[in-house]
Amino acid sequence: MPTLHDCQQRDATDPLRPLREHFSVPDGLIYLDGNSLGVMPKTAPARAAQVVGQEWGQGLIRSWNAAGWVDLPQRLGNKIAPLIGAGPGEVVATDSTSINLFKVLSAALSIAAKDQPARRTIVSERSNFPTDLYIAEGLCAARGYTLQLVEPDDLAAALGADTAVLMLTHVNYRTGAMHDMSAVTQAAHAAGALVVWDLAHSAGAVPVDLTGAGADFAVGCGYKYLNGGPGAPAFVWVHPRHAQRADLPFLQPLSGWWGHAAPFAFTPDYQPAPGIERYLCGTQPIVSLALLECGLDVFKAAEPLGGMAALRTKSLALTDLFITLVEDRCHGFGLGLATPRAHALRGSQVCLTREHTEGGAEDGALGSGAFAIMQALIARGVIGDYRAGDGGVHKDILRFGLTPLYIGFEDVWNAVEQLRQVLETEEWKQAAFNRKHAVT
C-alpha cells in the first residue's frame, strides 16, 4: 500500500510538477474541485489590471483594434483547438456552454430536418448534465421533437430510425465515466444520427480528438479544467462539413451582429460569417476572454513536458492512487465507487457513493450523509463537492476532481487521510455540516 513517503517521492520526480507554479493554490488547501471551477493562474490579476486599467481605461474604444479585442474569440479558439483535436479556425471562445449548446443542437436539428425530416427524436443519457437536458427539452417543445432519455448501457439500443441527434457529455459529471467518443460517434452515424458532444468535463483534462472521431458538433466549458475563472466564456466547434452550408444560412439561430460576415457594414439583412465565426452572436466579454487566455497559456507551457498525453498519464496515476487509498484506509464506512476502474472509461475525477444511514445530524437530518461528509472535509481544507441522487438508480455523490496541472500525489494521500478522520470520528454528524447552501 502506498505510504506518505512514497507519494512525496513521486512528487519529487514528477516531470509535470513545475506546472503547479503557474497557479495560485492557497496555502493549506487541497483543491479537488477543478472539475467545477479551476484555480486562478498567477498571471490573471495582472492581466485583468492591464485590460481594465490600460486597454479600457486608456485605450477605450481604440482597443478593439489596437489591443486585438476584435479577434479574441478566434485567437482563444485556436489555443483550445489542439486540446480537443480540432484544426485552426474551427473553434471560437464565446458565450456560455448552455447558449452554445442551444446553437449547435438547433443546427443539428435543422440539418436533420433538411436531410432526414422523418427523424424526430433526440437521444441522451438520463444522467446527462441538467442544463443540456433543459436546452434539449426546450428545443423539442419549440420544434416538435421528442427527447428520449436512457441509461448509458441502453444508448446503442436507443439509436433507431427516428433518431435525429445523439447528445452526450463526453465525461459524465456525476460519475466521471467517459464514453469512447469514436465508437459512439460511429454507432450514431451508422444509425443515421448526428452527434453533439459536451466537453465540459474533459477539455483540458483528457485527450480529445473530435476530428479523428468524426464528430459533428461540440461545446465545452472555459472555467473548469481550462482555468478561465468563474463564468469564463465557453467554446464551440463545428465540423467543417457542417460549418458552412449554403443551403442553410440560418443554421445557427442566434444570428447576432458579431456572427455577421461584415459586422461593421451595418447592413439591415443578415449575411452569415464564413465557417465557425457565424457561431458568434453578440459583443464579446473582453475581460473574461482575457482571463481565459491566462488559463489556456498554461497548456502551452505543458507542451515541452509532454502536453495532454503526459497530463493524462498523471491524471490516471492520481485517480488510481485516490481509489486505492480510499478502499484501503476508508474501508468499512459504507463508501462505494461510482467511477469506472478501467482507464479507457475514466475521466479525471473520482466519485464516491455512500450507503444510506439512519444516523444523522444533531438536527435529525437523515440520508447517506454524503453532503455532510463533504462539508466536514471542506472545513478541514479539502475541497470537493457533492451531487444529490434521485432516491433511485442515482445515489448521492462525493466528487473529487484531480487536475494534473496542479494536484500532486501527496495532496491525494492527505485528502484521503482527512476523509478517513471525518468518517472515523463521525464529525460529519454535527449540525453545522448538515445545513444546505445555495451552491453545493
Side-chain angles (χ1 to χ4, degrees):
M1 184 57 52
T3 66
L4 175 58
H5 178 71
D6 294 333
C7 294
Q8 292 169 335
Q9 288 296 108
R10 294 183 76 174
D11 281 337
T13 58
D14 175 17
L16 298 180
R17 187 68 174 178
L19 295 175
R20 184 184 177 102
E21 296 305 312
H22 290 268
F23 296 96
S24 293
V25 183
D27 291 339
L29 201 68
I30 301 174
Y31 191 74
L32 305 182
D33 209 10
N35 52 327
S36 279
L37 175 65
V39 302
M40 184 181 72
K42 288 181 177 177
T43 56
R47 180 64 180 126
Q50 180 184 34
V51 175
V52 174
Q54 297 177 28
E55 296 177 7
W56 177 22
Q58 300 298 318
L60 290 168
I61 200 166
R62 294 170 295 183
S63 290
W64 283 103
N65 292 315
W69 289 358
V70 68
D71 62 2
L72 264 177
Q74 295 89 336
R75 188 167 82 231
L76 270 60
N78 284 336
K79 291 187 175 185
I80 294 168
L83 305 178
I84 61 174
E90 293 181 4
V91 182
V92 287
T94 184
D95 296 324
S96 69
T97 305
S98 298
I99 292 173
N100 287 335
L101 180 64
F102 178 84
K103 297 173 190 174
V104 300
L105 187 54
S106 296
L109 292 178
S110 293
I111 291 172
K114 175 81 171 180
D115 298 345
Q116 302 186 79
R119 294 175 177 265
R120 307 297 298 175
T121 300
I122 299 172
V123 172
S124 191
E125 280 187 74
R126 194 177 311 279
S127 63
N128 201 350
F129 192 73
T131 196
D132 295 40
L133 302 183
Y134 303 158
I135 293 293
E137 193 175 11
L139 277 169
C140 284
R143 300 182 62 165
Y145 283 75
T146 298
L147 178 59
Q148 180 182 356
L149 302 181
V150 300
E151 299 302 328
D153 291 343
D154 299 325
L155 279 172
L159 298 172
D162 192 48
T163 307
V165 179
L166 174 62
M167 179 189 72
L168 293 174
T169 299
H170 184 216
V171 174
N172 186 279
Y173 83 105
R174 287 183 55 83
T175 66
M178 184 170 68
H179 288 289
D180 182 331
M181 179 180 286
S182 182
V184 171
T185 300
Q186 289 179 31
H189 287 172
L194 297 167
V195 187
V196 173
W197 288 102
D198 182 340
L199 306 179
H201 289 85
S202 47
V206 302
V208 178
D209 187 2
L210 291 168
T211 302
D216 297 295
F217 301 90
V219 299
C221 181
Y223 56 79
K224 295 184 173 69
Y225 293 109
L226 298 184
N227 305 295
F235 63 87
V236 57
W237 171 86
V238 179
H239 195 286
R241 66 174 171 264
H242 302 309
Q244 192 171 345
R245 284 192 51 160
D247 58 332
L248 293 169
F250 287 91
L251 189 61
Q252 198 278 84
L254 299 181
S255 47
W257 78 306
W258 218 254
H260 193 282
F264 289 91
F266 298 113
T267 61
D269 62 317
Y270 179 73
Q271 297 294 328
I276 193 64
E277 292 185 16
R278 71 179 60 185
Y279 283 81
L280 300 173
C281 181
T283 307
Q284 301 301 307
I286 297 303
V287 178
S288 294
L289 283 169
L291 294 183
L292 172 59
E293 190 164 24
C294 294
L296 294 175
D297 285 344
V298 181
F299 289 94
K300 190 71 175 177
E303 287 180 5
L305 304 176
M308 282 306 305
L311 289 170
R312 175 60 170 166
T313 297
K314 182 178 177 182
S315 166
L316 290 170
L318 290 168
T319 50
D320 278 343
L321 176 65
F322 193 97
I323 293 168
T324 297
L325 290 174
V326 166
E327 292 183 337
D328 177 66
R329 300 178 64 78
C330 301
H331 179 73
F333 291 105
L335 295 178
L337 180 65
T339 302
R341 295 180 188 275
H343 286 181
L345 302 178
R346 185 196 310 166
S348 196
Q349 66 192 61
V350 176
C351 300
L352 305 177
T353 62
R354 191 164 188 272
E355 295 303 320
H356 188 279
T357 175
E358 292 304 323
E362 294 172 5
D363 64 358
L366 300 177
S368 69
F371 171 80
I373 291 167
M374 184 57 72
Q375 299 312 301
L377 273 176
I378 291 171
R380 285 170 168 258
V382 179
I383 299 184
D385 63 25
Y386 159 85
R387 293 294 178 260
D390 58 9
V393 174
H394 304 120
K395 299 180 180 180
D396 290 352
I397 293 284
L398 295 104
R399 291 199 318 171
F400 301 92
L402 288 88
T403 306
L405 289 169
Y406 49 81
I407 296 299
F409 295 94
E410 184 177 358
D411 292 328
V412 173
W413 199 96
N414 287 331
V416 175
E417 173 60 16
Q418 294 297 322
L419 175 60
R420 184 192 67 79
Q421 292 182 26
V422 165
L423 295 168
E424 194 170 74
T425 62
E426 296 190 325
E427 69 182 66
W428 62 271
K429 292 185 178 181
Q430 297 175 24
F433 299 136
N434 283 267
R435 296 192 185 103
K436 292 284 183 74
H437 307 289
V439 177
T440 60

